Amino acid sequence: MMEITQLLLELSSAIKEIKAHLLVLKQTRTEKFKQAWIDGQEVMLALSISKRTLQSLRDAGTLPYSRINGKFYYKVADLEKLLESNYSQNLKNESHD
């Protein structure tokens, strides 16, 4: 019986260790994704905005970008900042979809 208890304790410890490693891996992947670059098409799809709206965000300096050979790229972290900076919890005056 003591052997089974010892094995269960070891198994529990191993599971906790695996869980901790998975959490670190998940956080690392999330951070890498935030630093990833996506193109304008992906931005338009993610935010449900038009090409013109995306251009307006660039022109106003609201959304940083990089341009290579005429194609625009955006950091996921910058999109997240833009969304956070425009986040509002006041739902009384806003329309619902």
Side-chain angles (χ1 to χ4, degrees):
M1 187 65 167
M2 292 294 287
E3 287 180 14
I4 292 175
T5 304
Q6 182 62 32
L7 286 173
L8 288 173
L9 288 173
E10 289 175 12
L11 180 60
S12 176
S13 177
I15 289 172
K16 287 178 184 176
E17 187 176 330
I18 291 170
K19 186 177 177 182
H21 285 292
L22 288 174
L23 183 59
V24 168
L25 179 62
K26 180 181 175 185
Q27 290 172 341
T28 302
R29 289 180 71 193
T30 300
E31 287 304 313
K32 284 182 182 178
F33 180 69
K34 285 183 180 180
Q35 293 306 314
W37 291 83
I38 59 175
D39 67 15
Q41 187 66 35
E42 291 174 288
V43 174
M44 290 184 290
L45 288 171
L47 299 180
S48 298
I49 60 174
S50 69
K51 191 173 185 176
R52 179 68 183 112
T53 299
L54 184 55
Q55 180 182 344
S56 294
L57 291 171
R58 281 195 315 265
D59 292 347
T62 305
L63 184 58
Y65 64 91
S66 180
R67 183 177 179 180
I68 301 172
N69 293 330
K71 188 168 182 175
F72 295 93
Y73 297 91
Y74 308 84
K75 278 189 176 183
V76 172
D78 290 334
L79 292 171
E80 187 175 86
K81 287 177 193 174
L82 177 63
L83 291 171
E84 287 291 334
S85 69
N86 288 284
Y87 180 69
S88 173
Q89 290 185 336
N90 183 3
L91 300 177
K92 292 179 184 177
N93 298 325
E94 295 186 19
S95 64
H96 296 282
D97 290 341

